[in-house]
Amino acid sequence: MVEVYVENITKKFGNVIAINNVTQKFADKALSSIVGPSGCGKTTLLRVIAGLYDPDEGKVYIGGEDVTLKPTFKREVGLVFQDYALFPHMTVYENIAYGLKIKKLPKREIDKKVKEALEFVKLPGMEKRYPHQLSGGQQQRVALARTLVIEPKVLLLDEPLSNLDAQLRIAVRGELKQIQKQLGITTIYVTHDQIEAMSISDYIAIMKDGKIIQVGTPIEIYRRPKNEFVANFIGQCNFLDGKIISLEDSKAIIETPEGEIKAFIPDESFKNGDSVTVVLRPEYIELKPLKESGDKSMIKGKVRVSLYQGGVTRFTVDLPTGKSLIVDSSDPLITEKIKEGEQVSLSFKEELIHLLKK
């Protein structure tokens, strides 16, 4: 089992605390992403795990072994960076074989491993090309092959796809996830792209100001954020202020200035009379023309902006209280029916509403 465990890690640069007493486990054979705003400490944490930075306090364990004082080349980690760091004067073959030659493996074994690595990243026949003769996606795969060929215990990736265009990034991240699953290698992936993290990760760690705020599966992070920062950082969110006025079993009625909302409480710590924040994802809100709403409407509003985006239309709906909600609809019939300036009703599924304590 190759679990990565950081214990009470603190790293400072002068008076700036880049990592503030972080303790976290990164699961064996899983792809764990670290995400957060610029300057939150995510790349610094990855570099501490890699051995590129020494922590001021705390320890790093890989596979149960304390590697805090070990140099990078003795930690059995593979590193892939956003600039690929390929040697421009070396061929693809020479780039991939570099780490194997340092290990002084026999030439026949090096040839075999390089060929297998090229097949694995879908670049057979590219051995004699130089980096400048490759596309960005191909260069990224060579960098990955060069890392994987040395058979590291842990794969560390620092924004490896950020230099690729949008469509290529989507394709390569799918390949990256597939490779990680095939190898079953413990992987820690730093990215600023929340959608990228959601789509490829087994677990996501959200960082802010040098601390890990929440860790969970993509569904847990998205559906049950710990606070407004996490909710807003991962996807678009609407927030309403409210108060629990009725509580029966796990169901609550929340009174808000915009109207009453029914929701399931996240846990037993929520009590009748508690002030709460109602968290509503745009796609969780059902929007209808007011004349078709019948008696089910909970909140009424007026469409101010309608943005057609192909598979989804994003509506900005102004409420009588002066507040606005963002609503995403993938129903093409709704998109055709509802125009800017039209009165609408908004309803919500109880199971999809999340509550935060104030």
Side-chain angles (χ1 to χ4, degrees):
M1 187 173 86
V2 187
E3 177 184 82
V4 176
Y5 177 53
V6 295
E7 181 181 40
N8 304 126
I9 293 291
T10 295
K11 179 63 182 176
K12 301 176 183 176
F13 297 101
N15 294 324
V16 177
I17 302 175
I19 308 174
N20 191 355
N21 194 32
V22 168
T23 296
Q24 184 59 48
K25 289 180 180 179
F26 297 94
D28 175 47
K29 297 182 180 180
L31 195 160
S32 302
S33 289
I34 306 174
V35 299
S38 297
C40 71
K42 55 187 184 291
T43 291
T44 301
L45 180 57
L46 192 79
R47 287 175 173 263
V48 167
I49 294 169
L52 299 175
Y53 292 154
D54 294 325
D56 294 304
E57 297 175 22
K59 294 187 176 184
V60 177
Y61 297 87
I62 295 177
E65 178 188 1
D66 184 353
V67 299
T68 312
L69 301 179
K70 280 192 171 187
T72 300
F73 69 93
K74 289 188 176 180
R75 295 192 183 196
E76 296 185 74
V77 298
L79 304 170
V80 180
F81 300 102
Q82 67 183 81
D83 61 359
Y84 317 141
L86 299 177
F87 299 115
H89 62 287
M90 292 185 182
T91 63
V92 167
Y93 178 96
E94 291 167 335
N95 267 282
I96 297 173
Y98 183 78
L100 300 175
K101 288 180 179 179
I102 288 179
K103 287 186 172 185
K104 297 182 178 178
L105 294 183
K107 186 178 186 306
R108 183 177 294 179
E109 188 174 350
I110 291 175
D111 287 343
K112 180 175 179 289
K113 286 182 177 292
V114 171
K115 183 178 179 181
E116 288 174 349
L118 283 168
E119 291 282 352
F120 201 68
V121 298
K122 300 177 182 177
L123 291 176
M126 298 280 191
E127 295 93 329
K128 295 181 180 180
R129 294 195 186 185
Y130 287 86
H132 72 272
Q133 296 174 313
L134 305 175
S135 68
Q138 289 171 333
Q139 289 184 46
Q140 184 59 70
R141 286 188 214 144
V142 173
L144 185 60
R146 184 182 61 182
T147 301
L148 295 175
V149 78
I150 62 173
E151 299 179 2
K153 287 183 178 178
V154 176
L155 182 60
L156 305 174
L157 303 108
D158 186 8
E159 307 216 29
L161 309 182
S162 62
N163 289 335
L164 305 181
D165 63 56
Q167 285 189 326
L168 185 57
R169 192 161 64 239
I170 292 170
V172 175
R173 75 189 181 203
E175 293 171 1
L176 184 62
K177 182 176 177 67
Q178 186 179 21
I179 288 171
Q180 188 271 331
K181 290 305 172 193
Q182 280 182 273
L183 293 176
I185 186 171
T186 303
T187 301
I188 303 175
Y189 188 104
V190 164
T191 179
H192 67 279
D193 188 327
Q194 302 98 317
I195 294 183
E196 189 167 276
M198 292 283 288
S199 62
I200 69 171
S201 304
D202 298 301
Y203 302 98
I204 298 175
I206 309 290
M207 284 195 77
K208 180 187 179 188
D209 299 331
K211 294 184 177 181
I212 292 179
I213 305 299
Q214 183 174 355
V215 178
T217 66
I219 290 177
E220 288 169 346
I221 294 287
Y222 192 77
R223 291 277 304 275
R224 294 177 286 280
K226 188 176 182 180
N227 53 37
E228 288 191 28
F229 171 79
V230 175
N232 247 341
F233 188 78
I234 298 291
Q236 181 86 36
C237 238
N238 298 292
F239 302 101
L240 297 176
D241 295 325
K243 181 178 181 181
I244 297 176
I245 58 171
S246 175
L247 192 59
E248 185 175 343
D249 296 328
S250 59
K251 278 192 177 183
I253 296 176
I254 299 99
E255 184 180 58
T256 75
E258 291 73 29
E260 288 187 359
I261 294 175
K262 294 179 182 178
F264 286 95
I265 58 171
D267 57 65
E268 293 180 358
S269 68
F270 286 76
K271 305 297 181 187
N272 201 9
D274 281 351
S275 293
V276 295
T277 298
V278 180
V279 180
L280 295 165
R281 295 286 185 189
E283 69 273 21
Y284 294 169
I285 303 174
E286 185 179 359
L287 177 146
K288 289 183 179 181
L290 186 60
K291 56 184 177 289
E292 297 179 12
S293 63
D295 297 327
K296 293 183 178 180
S297 174
M298 292 184 181
I299 294 178
K300 297 179 176 65
K302 182 180 180 181
V303 174
R304 172 160 49 91
V305 179
S306 172
L307 299 174
Y308 180 67
Q309 300 171 0
V312 173
T313 300
R314 171 158 289 186
F315 298 94
T316 301
V317 181
D318 292 336
L319 308 181
T321 58
K323 194 172 185 69
S324 297
L325 294 181
I326 302 297
V327 182
D328 286 346
S329 177
S330 58
D331 185 342
L333 298 178
I334 290 295
T335 298
E336 292 177 8
K337 282 182 181 179
I338 297 179
K339 309 299 179 185
E340 292 177 353
E342 187 161 350
Q343 297 288 332
V344 294
S345 69
L346 307 176
S347 58
F348 319 97
K349 289 185 178 179
E350 301 167 5
E351 299 87 350
L352 298 178
I353 295 173
H354 183 61
L355 301 179
L356 297 172
K357 271 192 177 181
K358 286 201 166 188

